[in-house]
């Protein structure tokens, strides 16, 4: 496996959404909608009439796929959304081919350079696009991340898509690369089949099977007490490696007991930056009330930015009555303390806190204040604040993050009078399966295009199983 492919996989495995805010440059309206995977963007693209309009849509689509717009790719879907656009528009794949098959493919170490284009080609191959299969086969023979192309070819409906790929894999890959491919393969297809055809591949498949078997045997066994890290060791690791501080915060939960609370609190007050972040994350996860007293210090402007961010997450997640009282006293404070106040009130406040939440919602920008907006939008929905309709609509339309848009949809369903005929209809074309599923049960069947889209979702083999089943059930009930 190439270093770029390995980096992409490791990034997906360790991604922490709270650590990577979404930042996007100014774009045209349609491009912004397509970049965020918005259902309205897909509907507008499908409605493009004339060669000039279609060319503009295809250019915007190519731009989205070549420069992955997701802040944290592991947490958002895009490939099926873009593949459906390519298929519906019958868009050519020349731009993707030029991007994948060039000298830069071997010199650019960006882990996200090929992941989305190859995933889109895999979805197109599953939809029966022969040109996508051909491009994947060519990239498997010539490209740097050839192992990902082989994996995507396993999704093709064409039975000949994998013809000759065993010989290519044996020629291009060493045993370590092939081991990684077999271990990651869904159901180990086609590697297990190839194991019956070649002794070298068979030995690799058997090694993967043996390693899985050993792992399964070890599951459920108590860990050797001598090998478990201590709280001091975890905090020292976080201090020495601040980039691992969030991971260390999670690890504290498995090793810390009540007797360690004093040490962890002392670290959160005045430890090294990485250790403070780990301690704050742990205290936030357990909802320790001492965070309220710690807030003013941890959220001070002279604290390192990562420490303030960790404190905002930890303190802002408190939902006790005492936290609500303290938050009301912090309202109007500058900086992070004011942000924490509205997040606590969004999660546990009452109707009387509504004006403060709406004012905070109006101050936020979807492209900058993503994590504060997640709490605020949920709070508006929880309290049913109809006066917040316009700013929530702005979040729904303007957020570059599909996850935030999904939360806005849930809130709009509670406060938007014509939700079923407007927002719910757009959501049938959204990039996130969860959002499509929400819309399937609510979209007004009398709106043009809704029955046709439900039928398309119900019969699409690439669609999420839950969405497909819900669409069939909704159609059967009509």
């Amino acid at each position: 496996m190439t270093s770029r492919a390995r980096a992409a996989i490791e990034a997906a495995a360790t991604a922490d959404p709270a650590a990577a805010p979404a930042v996007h440059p100014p774009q045209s309206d349609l491009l912004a909608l397509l970049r965020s995977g918005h259902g309205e963007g897909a509907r507008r693209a499908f409605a493009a009439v004339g060669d000039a309009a279609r060319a503009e849509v295809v250019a915007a689509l190519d731009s989205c796929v070549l420069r992955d717009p997701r802040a944290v790719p592991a947490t958002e879907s895009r490939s099926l959304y873009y593949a459906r656009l390519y298929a519906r528009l019958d868009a050519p794949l020349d731009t993707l081919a030029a991007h994948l098959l060039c000298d830069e493919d071997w010199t650019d170490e960006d882990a996200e350079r090929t992941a989305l284009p190859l995933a889109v080609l895999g979805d197109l191959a599953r939809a029966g696009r022969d040109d996508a299969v051909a491009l994947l086969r060519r990239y498997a023979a010539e490209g740097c991340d050839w192992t990902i192309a082989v994996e995507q070819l396993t999704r093709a409906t064409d039975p000949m898509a994998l013809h000759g790929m065993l010989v290519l894999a044996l020629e291009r890959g060493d045993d370590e690369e092939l081991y990684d491919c077999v271990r990651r393969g869904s159901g180990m297809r086609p590697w297990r089949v190839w194991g019956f055809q070649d002794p070298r591949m068979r030995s690799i498949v058997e090694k993967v099977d043996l390693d899985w078997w050993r792992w399964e045997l070890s599951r459920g066994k108590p860990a050797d007490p001598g090998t478990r890290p201590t709280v001091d060791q975890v905090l020292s690791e976080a201090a020495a490696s601040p980039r691992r501080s969030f991971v260390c915060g999670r690890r504290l939960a498995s090793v810390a007991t009540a007797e360690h609370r004093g040490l962890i609190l002392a670290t959160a007050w005045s430890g090294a930056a990485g250790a403070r972040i780990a301690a704050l994350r742990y205290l936030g996860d357990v909802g320790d009330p001492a965070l309220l007293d710690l807030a003013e210090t941890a959220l001070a402007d002279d604290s390192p930015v990562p420490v303030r961010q960790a404190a905002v997450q930890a303190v802002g997640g408190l939902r006790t009555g005492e936290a609500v009282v303290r938050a009301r006293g912090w309202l109007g404070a500058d900086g992070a303390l004011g942000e924490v106040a509205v997040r606590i009130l969004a999660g546990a406040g009452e109707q009387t806190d509504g004006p403060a939440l709406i004012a905070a919602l109006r101050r936020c920008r979807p492209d900058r204040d993503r994590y504060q907006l997640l709490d605020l939008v949920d709070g508006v929905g929880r309290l049913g604040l109809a006066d917040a309709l316009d700013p929530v609509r702005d979040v729904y339309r303007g957020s570059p993050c599909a996850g935030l848009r999904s939360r806005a949809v849930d809130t709009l369903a509670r406060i938007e009078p014509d939700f079923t005929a407007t927002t719910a209809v757009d959501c049938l074309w959204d990039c996130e399966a969860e959002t499509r599923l929400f819309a399937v049960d609510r979209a007004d069947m009398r709106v043009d295009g809704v029955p046709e889209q439900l039928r398309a979702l119900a019969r699409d083999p690439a669609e999420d199983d839950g969405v497909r089943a819900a669409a069939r059930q909704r159609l059967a009930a009509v």
Side-chain angles (χ1 to χ4, degrees), residues 180-428:
D180 285 337
C181 290
V182 175
R183 185 169 55 86
R184 294 198 324 271
S186 176
M188 299 214 304
R189 178 180 178 268
W191 310 101
R192 191 178 294 282
V193 174
W194 288 346
F196 292 107
Q197 302 173 14
D198 179 84
R200 180 184 166 204
M201 187 62 71
R202 181 165 59 252
S203 67
I204 293 171
V205 171
E206 289 173 350
K207 185 177 187 305
V208 172
D209 281 339
L210 180 60
D211 288 346
W212 274 112
W213 177 69
R214 288 171 174 163
W215 180 78
E216 286 286 351
L217 286 180
S218 68
R219 292 177 66 189
K221 291 184 178 180
D224 181 356
T227 63
R228 292 184 64 190
T230 66
V231 170
D232 284 330
Q233 289 172 335
V234 174
L235 292 174
S236 296
E237 180 184 349
S241 304
R243 292 183 64 181
R244 291 186 51 78
S245 55
F246 278 93
V247 175
C248 290
R250 289 197 297 266
R251 290 176 62 193
L252 281 175
S254 65
V255 297
T257 62
E259 66 184 36
H260 298 112
R261 181 171 181 264
L263 171 61
I264 295 173
L265 282 173
T267 302
W269 275 98
S270 58
R276 290 184 71 188
I277 293 170
L280 285 165
R281 176 155 192 163
Y282 168 78
L283 293 171
D285 288 344
V286 300
D288 196 303
L291 282 170
L292 293 171
D293 293 327
L294 204 156
E296 284 91 343
T297 299
L299 295 169
D301 289 339
D302 57 349
S303 297
V305 172
V307 172
R308 291 204 305 273
Q309 291 175 339
V312 166
Q313 292 292 322
V315 184
L318 296 176
R319 297 292 180 261
T320 63
E322 182 183 359
V324 170
V325 173
R326 296 282 286 272
R328 287 170 179 156
W330 293 335
L331 275 176
D334 293 333
L337 196 60
E339 177 184 344
V340 164
V342 297
R343 293 182 72 169
I344 292 174
L345 295 178
E350 301 172 352
Q351 288 287 336
T352 54
D353 301 307
L357 298 181
I358 295 174
L361 186 60
R362 293 185 185 278
R363 289 195 301 268
C364 290
R365 285 175 43 189
D367 61 342
R368 183 192 63 195
D369 304 309
R370 171 184 170 189
Y371 302 108
Q372 185 176 4
L373 281 170
L374 286 170
D375 289 331
L376 283 170
V377 167
D378 285 348
V380 166
R382 181 179 64 85
L383 296 173
L385 303 177
D387 290 344
L389 178 58
D390 288 339
V392 174
R393 278 175 172 164
D394 290 341
V395 172
Y396 164 73
R397 182 175 174 82
S399 173
C401 169
L404 175 54
R405 182 171 65 250
S406 179
R407 304 274 273 273
V409 167
D410 184 75
T411 294
L412 286 173
R414 306 182 191 200
I415 65 174
E416 187 176 44
D418 56 348
F419 174 81
T420 59
T422 54
T423 302
V425 175
D426 281 339
C427 290
L428 289 174

Side-chain angles (χ1 to χ4, degrees), residues 403 406-407 427 430-440 464 467:
S406 179
R407 304 274 273 273
C427 290
D430 196 87
C431 68
E432 291 293 330
E434 179 182 353
T435 304
R436 295 195 298 275
L437 178 60
F438 190 85
V440 162
D464 175 81
V467 176

